[in-house]
Amino acid sequence: MIPHISGRPRRTLVLAATLGAALAFGTPGALAGTLPVAPSIASAAKAHATAAVPASETAASQAAAWVAGTRAYLVITAPGDSSAVRSAIEANGGTVFSNFDAIGVIVAHSASSGFAATMRGVAGVQQVGATRTSDVPADAYNPALPANPSQSTTPAGEPVRADMSQIKADQAWAVNPGSASVKVGILDTGVDDQHQDLAPNFDAADSVSCAYGKPDTRTGAWRDVDTHGTHVAGTVAAAKNGKGVVGVAPGVKIAAVRVAEPGTAFFFAENTICGFVWAGDHGFSVTNNSYYTDPWQFNCPDNIDQAAIIEGVKRAQEYAESKGSLQVAAAGNENYDLAHKTTDSASPNDSTPVTRTITNACLDIPTELPGVVTVAANGTGVTKASFSNYGQGVIDVAAPGSSVYSTVPGGGYGSKSGTSMATPHVAGVAALIASANPGITPAQIRAKLATQANDIACPSDSRCTGTTANNAFFGEGQVDALKAVGATPPPGAYFENLTDFTINDNATVESSIAVTGVTGNAPATLKVGVDIKHTYIGDLKVDLVAPDGTVYTLHNRTGGSADNVAQTYTVNASSEVANGTWKLRVNDNAASDTGKIDAWNLTF
C-alpha cells in the first residue's frame, strides 16, 4: 500500500502509528514536508511565529464585533511607530488585530469590501494585502485551547533507526548530543509537550500559539491540533532516555510555536509572521518550518495581495535572522521543479482552487525566501524520494524523508513520509552545529550545512541538472550529523551497540557486538569506545572479551567516587580473529551505586 502523504503541512505521507491510541492521520493546511492531499483532507503544519499581545487581551470586545465576512489583511508600513496607520485602520472600517512595529507589519481585520483599496491610499501605507480568501473564524477572538491528550507509555528501548544512521546522528551523539542552551522552534501544528520522549527537552516558557496572527501565551495553547508538529519535534530532539526514539539532537531544547489553525490546520501569513517574530525575540537558534504559507502554494509579486504576503513574511524572516535564528524549511511534496515553475493548481486552498499560469517570480514561502535553508527528501540511502520537489539553485540540502518513525500525540509513535520529515533532520543537524560552535551566526550555520553535506551525484534522470557537488535533486548533498559536531568516522571497520544494559549492585552484565567482514586478526591498536553511566566508578571492573573468551581488562575499580566511564581504550588484540562476537563485560563489586552500559564500539 502506498503511504499517504498528508495534506497541509508541507504534506506528510502518513504510514503507520503504533504504541498509542488509534490515530487518524489526516492532513491540515500546507504542511511542508508531507505530500499533498486534496483540500478536504489537507491542512497540517504551516508554522509561523509571532510576538505581540496575548490572544485573550481583547477577546471580549473583538468577539462582540465579529461578523460574517470578516477578512484578514496585512498592512505594511515603515518599521517603528505605526500609531498613525493604526488609527487610519480604525477610521476606515477595520480593527487592529495585532501589530509588529519592529518590522512595520499590522494585521488588520475588516468586513468592508473596500477596506484594502481605501487603506492603500493612506499616507505611510506601503502595501495592503488580504491574507485569505475565506473569513477569519470567530474562534480567532476567543481561541479554544487544544486538547491535552492522555499519555500512553511504551516499553523501554530505543533502537537506532535507519534515518538516524543514514545521517550518522547515532555516531554524533557520542561526540556532542547538542547543548541545552540551543533552542529549536517547531513552527507547526503544535507539540504534545507531555509526550514521554519530548517532555525532558520541552521549553514551555518560550512556547506559544501564533494561530490567527497573535501570540497566545496561555498554558497549552501550543499543543498539537493535528499530529504533524509532534512528529517533527521528535525527529529534531526526542530525548535519549531509553524510550521510543532518539532525535538528531537529543540534548537541545525545543519550543512549540503553533502556527496552524484548529480544524483546517492552515498556516496563513499572519501566523507565520507572528511565529518568526516570536522566534527572534525568544532566542531560537533554529526554526523548523515544514509547511507552506496558505492559501497560496506560490505567491506571485504581480498580485497585489500576494505581494504584501511576500513582503510581510520576508520582513519577519529577516527579523528572526537578525536576532540569531536560522530558518529551515521543506521544499514540498509535489515532485515539482521549483526552478521551472509553470502552473499552480492548488491555490487558493481555503476556498476554490483554480489553475493559473505562474513563473519563477512566484515563490513558495517561507522556503524560497532569501536566507531560508530549503530541504529536499531522500528516499532510502541516497535516492531522491519520489514525491520530493526539486530545482537547481533552489534546493540547499537533502535528508531522509521516507517512512520516518517518530513521536505522535498521546505518548505514541508513528511513521510519516514527506519533505516535512526531511526538514527536522536538517534542523537537528543545524542545532548540533550551533551546539558545537557557540556564538555562530545563521549565515555561518548555513555555510557549514553546505560544507558538511555529503555529495550525491545525479541519477540517470534528465530532471537532475547540475554537478555532483550541487544539483537539482540534492543541492549540496545529504546532511552529516557527525561532521556537524566536528568529528569524522573512525578509520577502519566500525561496529557499535547502542542498547542500554542495566548495571545492578554486585552483578555482572554483558553487551555484545557481532563483527563480520573483517579479514584476518584484530589489530594491535584495536579501539574500544566505552560509554558507561554509573555513579562511583570505583565499584566497576570493565573487560573486553574476545570471541575466543580471552579477557582484556579496560578499567579495574579505579576512579573512586567519580561518575561515569566515557573513554576510548587501545587494546593489542592482534592474536584474536577479528570476526565473531565481542563482549563488553561490566562487574559491579559493591552496593549502593548502579548505572548502565549506555553504548560501546569497536574500531578495527
Side-chain angles (χ1 to χ4, degrees), residues 394-419:
V394 179
I395 302 302
D396 291 308
V397 290
S402 296
S403 302
V404 174
Y405 187 72
S406 187
T407 48
V408 295
Y413 301 85
S415 293
K416 295 176 185 278
S417 293
T419 56

Side-chain angles (χ1 to χ4, degrees), residues 35 83 104 199 220 224 241 250 263 278 312 354 365-366 426 508:
L35 299 192
S83 56
D224 209 332
N241 57 0
W278 181 273
V354 297
I365 61 174
V426 177
T508 299

Side-chain angles (χ1 to χ4, degrees), residues 200-222:
N201 291 334
F202 192 80
D203 177 8
D206 291 309
S207 293
V208 71
S209 169
C210 272
Y212 310 114
K214 178 187 293 186
D216 181 350
T217 58
R218 292 176 297 165
T219 298
W222 58 73

Side-chain angles (χ1 to χ4, degrees), residues 150-170:
S150 58
Q151 300 292 315
S152 62
T153 58
T154 186
E158 46 184 11
V160 177
R161 309 187 316 276
D163 58 312
M164 293 296 155
S165 59
Q166 188 170 326
I167 63 168
K168 302 187 185 72
D170 53 336

Side-chain angles (χ1 to χ4, degrees), residues 449-531:
L449 279 172
T451 58
Q452 58 77 53
N454 294 312
D455 293 343
I456 305 175
C458 281
S460 299
D461 189 323
S462 61
R463 300 173 301 166
C464 187
T465 58
T467 65
T468 297
N470 192 320
N471 57 58
F473 278 9
F474 312 111
E476 297 282 352
Q478 183 171 262
V479 292
D480 188 313
L482 190 59
K483 289 182 182 177
V485 295
T488 56
Y494 180 79
F495 304 86
E496 68 180 342
N497 189 333
L498 296 174
T499 303
D500 291 347
F501 290 86
T502 301
I503 304 169
N504 295 316
D505 282 333
N506 293 298
T508 299
V509 64
E510 293 181 340
S511 174
S512 300
I513 290 177
V515 173
T516 59
V518 179
T519 302
N521 284 8
T525 55
L526 177 66
K527 302 297 184 183
V528 185
V530 176
D531 185 1

